[in-house]
Amino acid sequence: MTNPLRNLKLKTRMTLVLGLMALLQTGFLGLFALNHLNESLEEQVAERALQVAKTIAVMPEIIAAVKASDTPFLQPLSLQLAETTHARFVVIGDKNGLRLSHPTPERIGKPMNDDDEDGMGGEYNNPALLDGRAYVQKATGSLGVSIRGKTPIIDPSGEIVGIVSVGFILDTVESILARYRTTLLIAILSAFMISVLIALWFASHFKKAIFGLEPEQIGLLFEERNATLESIREGIVAINAEGIITTFNRAALNTLGLSNKDSLLGQPIQKVLPDSQMISVLENGQPQFDQEVWLGEACFITNRLPVRQDDRIIGVVSSFRPKDELDMVSRKLTRIRQYADSLRSQTHEYSNKLHTIAGLIQIGATKEALALIGQETENHQALIDLLVAAIPDPVLAGCLLGKYNRARELGLRLIIDSESHMTDIPMHIPRELLVSVIGNLLDNAFEATLSHTGAGGDVSLTMTDLGNDLIFEIEDQGAGIPVEEQARIFERGVSTKGEPNRGIGLHLVNQLLTRMGATIIIEPADLCGSRFTVYIPKKKPSIDLKSTQE
């Protein structure tokens, strides 16, 4: 049986589906909301009816009038109470369930059970008259469907002398629900129209992405593509932007000596063809035509073309075909000669380094391997050795190494005293505060030295953790800080450079040191510039450093 939806355009199908989904969702939510609203309103009306009934039942004049069966007093009073409380009716009965007041005077003196038309009769009054219990009921009586609150009338001696029934007709609830039904209908129609517009936009965008084709056309093209690939005697392999094989044909399987297509699909091209140049085409976007490649004992002519979408390379397609046997042998010998010459020219340059690096990695000497690969200078290596030996904390050591490289970029030298020692950093000192202090002081020293001495200047750092304090001493070759400025140098916005938006780093340093209970001393350096000495106590301060960070 033919599916009628298949005869519709994709845009029409998407519009119908999205519109129907919105219609069903909003309809279901609307019905749920109306039902919940109805229950909530009825609960509120019931609670109000019960509270009004309880209030009337404890009125002394009501109790006295009920005991005396004083209908002339109770009738106008019940009507007045109903009007005051906006109740549909207030009915008062004696202990036998006979009405002493009723909105319809003809019903006075008759049993209250004829208000209940559900077959229960007077049993509905039993909880109040027999058990002395207040309760709520929904029933259809002589005045219509109502929510009733019933409660016993109890005299001071504890005897049940009567019953009060207060009812609220549900027409108000129905009117509220009717208004909400109208609102809900408008919301459903609005949601449907919005869904239709969204579906039209999405379908147009989607069809543009699939070149205006219908799903059935795409399926047909896919089958045609598979048939075309299998009909080609050349091997075809395609990869995506990640270098993963996405397409191939039977000729490719035979050429590669694979019998199971699952062993090729989804595999990285470098795993299947380690020497493939498809990755280079993927990176540079340059097509390669009539390239000779060797696969095992066979030589192939291969073409590699990038696949583009909106000026973006999304994959590469490679085709390869075998050459005749005579040309295959000739090319094989040429390839071997070229390969041997290439190996000879590179052997002396790379073999020793590669063997050394491989050996270092195998024995776990990663530090030495990294040093050999990076071709670092002797001074840089000495710095790393110093940091590893003198500063076990990786955060502080990493900060200093970064500042060392920053100094080199600026044309300066950061000299760390070889006698420095910082292995006893208490755990309660937050490392982020510590590196913020040292980092800002070093940055300040770099700027001061660069502005006064220029490239080639030195900034020295000495550290020690002996005693009760962590001591950091940073010395620059700047112009120095006048004595009269030293008291203000840590104020926000104050800077010896006289430039706007400066004077923030030292202000931050001062705040962080205050939190750590530390002190800083500024004094002239031996030759020129300034020396900043920081004393951070090892003893934990009374405040929680981590909780006071900004």
Side-chain angles (χ1 to χ4, degrees):
M1 184 176 180
T2 304
N3 187 350
L5 288 178
R6 296 177 64 89
N7 299 325
L8 300 177
K9 296 293 185 180
L10 177 63
K11 182 181 293 187
T12 305
R13 276 185 267 178
M14 295 184 68
T15 302
L16 290 176
V17 170
L18 290 180
L20 182 60
M21 287 178 59
L23 198 63
L24 291 176
Q25 289 176 351
T26 53
F28 175 77
L29 292 176
L31 291 176
F32 175 79
L34 284 175
N35 183 64
H36 181 71
L37 177 63
N38 180 62
E39 292 179 355
S40 298
L41 290 175
E42 288 190 2
E43 287 179 3
Q44 294 179 17
V45 171
E47 182 65 23
R48 183 179 178 185
L50 191 59
Q51 292 300 322
V52 172
K54 288 181 178 180
T55 302
I56 296 173
V58 297
M59 296 173 63
E61 57 270 35
I62 295 294
I63 297 174
V66 170
K67 292 179 68 175
S69 299
D70 191 354
T71 296
F73 174 77
L74 293 173
Q75 176 66 10
L77 180 59
S78 65
L79 296 177
Q80 181 182 358
L81 289 173
E83 182 180 359
T84 303
T85 59
H86 303 287
R88 182 63 182 84
F89 62 82
V90 174
V91 177
I92 302 175
D94 59 16
K95 62 181 180 180
N96 297 316
L98 299 178
R99 297 189 188 95
L100 298 177
S101 68
H102 193 276
T104 304
E106 292 79 8
R107 292 182 176 268
I108 296 175
K110 295 180 180 180
M112 295 176 65
N113 58 10
D114 64 2
D115 281 337
D116 307 315
E117 298 177 357
D118 52 7
M120 294 297 294
E123 295 181 6
Y124 262 108
N125 297 322
N126 290 343
L129 293 176
L130 299 181
D131 301 333
R133 179 165 53 88
Y135 60 100
V136 174
Q137 67 175 187
K138 180 180 179 181
T140 302
S142 59
L143 298 177
V145 180
S146 62
I147 295 290
R148 305 172 182 182
K150 294 189 176 185
T151 185
I153 301 174
I154 303 175
D155 65 5
S157 65
E159 180 185 357
I160 299 175
V161 297
I163 183 173
V164 176
S165 177
V166 177
F168 286 86
I169 300 299
L170 294 181
D171 54 356
T172 303
V173 174
E174 290 298 326
S175 64
I176 295 176
L177 292 177
R179 292 200 305 271
Y180 276 94
R181 288 192 191 98
T182 303
T183 304
L184 176 62
L185 181 60
I186 295 174
I188 291 175
L189 294 177
S190 300
F192 178 75
M193 295 303 299
I194 293 174
S195 298
V196 169
L197 294 176
I198 293 176
L200 291 173
W201 172 84
F202 182 74
S204 300
H205 179 76
F206 186 73
K207 290 206 67 175
K208 181 180 178 181
I210 59 176
F211 305 101
L213 299 174
E214 295 294 324
E216 293 75 16
Q217 293 175 313
I218 296 176
L220 180 61
L221 288 176
F222 181 76
E223 295 297 333
E224 291 177 353
R225 186 270 269 174
N226 289 338
T228 302
L229 286 177
E230 295 302 328
S231 67
I232 297 175
R233 298 185 62 183
E234 293 186 355
I236 302 292
V237 175
I239 63 174
N240 60 16
E242 287 74 36
I244 304 300
I245 297 176
T246 57
T247 303
F248 58 90
N249 62 357
R250 178 60 59 180
L253 288 176
N254 296 334
T255 301
L256 298 175
L258 301 175
S259 59
N260 185 3
K261 64 179 182 179
D262 294 334
S263 60
L264 193 61
L265 186 65
Q267 295 290 330
I269 188 63
Q270 294 288 9
K271 181 179 179 180
V272 178
L273 298 173
D275 297 325
S276 175
Q277 297 299 312
M278 296 179 71
I279 296 298
S280 63
V281 176
L282 188 65
E283 294 174 350
N284 56 40
Q286 297 297 322
Q288 298 176 358
F289 298 101
D290 298 327
Q291 299 289 315
E292 296 183 11
V293 297
W294 285 88
L295 296 177
E297 297 295 326
C299 182
F300 294 85
I301 299 298
T302 182
N303 296 285
R304 307 179 186 95
L305 285 82
V307 180
R308 301 178 183 273
Q309 184 181 46
D310 298 331
D311 297 328
R312 186 168 55 90
I313 300 176
I314 61 173
V316 176
V317 176
S318 175
S319 65
F320 43 91
R321 64 183 185 273
K323 299 195 66 175
D324 56 73
E325 291 186 0
L326 180 62
D327 190 48
M328 180 178 66
V329 174
S330 175
R331 293 297 181 183
K332 182 176 181 180
L333 293 175
T334 302
R335 185 70 173 176
I336 291 175
R337 272 199 309 272
Q338 294 175 347
Y339 184 69
D341 292 339
S342 176
L343 286 178
R344 264 190 234 100
S345 64
Q346 297 180 12
T347 296
H348 294 291
E349 182 178 359
Y350 294 107
S351 61
N352 291 332
K353 289 185 179 180
L354 291 176
H355 287 305
T356 302
I357 292 171
L360 290 172
I361 293 175
Q362 289 176 358
I363 65 175
T366 55
K367 180 181 67 176
E368 289 78 2
L370 289 174
L372 183 58
I373 294 172
Q375 296 292 312
E376 293 294 337
T377 64
E378 183 178 353
N379 290 338
H380 196 215
Q381 186 61 44
L383 172 65
I384 295 177
D385 293 337
L386 172 63
L387 293 178
V388 171
I391 312 174
D393 186 87
V395 177
L396 180 58
C399 172
L400 295 181
L401 183 59
K403 294 302 178 183
Y404 178 85
N405 294 328
R406 176 58 179 163
R408 292 179 61 187
E409 293 175 3
L410 296 174
L412 304 174
R413 288 178 297 179
L414 175 59
I415 302 173
I416 300 178
D417 190 350
S418 60
E419 300 297 325
S420 294
H421 193 266
M422 190 60 60
T423 61
D424 186 23
I425 304 177
M427 293 301 297
H428 71 267
I429 296 180
R431 300 311 190 259
E432 60 271 21
L433 296 188
L434 187 61
V435 297
S436 293
V437 170
I438 304 304
N440 275 285
L441 289 176
L442 286 174
D443 289 339
N444 187 72
F446 293 159
E447 292 185 13
T449 301
L450 197 62
S451 62
H452 184 261
T453 306
D458 296 335
V459 174
S460 62
L461 170 64
T462 303
M463 300 172 290
T464 180
D465 56 0
L466 299 177
N468 298 323
D469 299 314
L470 304 179
I471 303 175
F472 297 87
E473 188 177 276
I474 299 174
E475 187 173 319
D476 61 53
Q477 291 183 345
I481 301 175
V483 177
E484 60 273 12
E485 292 291 334
Q486 291 183 5
R488 302 179 56 249
I489 195 67
F490 294 106
E491 296 179 9
R492 185 178 182 88
V494 176
S495 173
T496 58
K497 303 175 184 64
E499 300 176 7
N501 299 322
R502 305 306 293 264
I504 299 176
L506 290 180
H507 171 70
L508 176 61
V509 167
N510 187 49
Q511 285 187 324
L512 298 178
L513 291 176
T514 301
R515 292 174 184 173
M516 291 188 288
T519 57
I520 184 170
I521 297 177
I522 306 175
E523 55 189 355
D526 293 336
L527 298 178
C528 65
S530 302
R531 181 187 300 113
F532 290 75
T533 305
V534 176
Y535 298 89
I536 302 176
K538 295 181 181 180
K539 184 179 180 181
K540 186 175 183 180
S542 58
I543 61 174
D544 185 356
L545 298 181
K546 293 186 178 181
S547 64
T548 57
Q549 296 178 50
E550 292 181 350

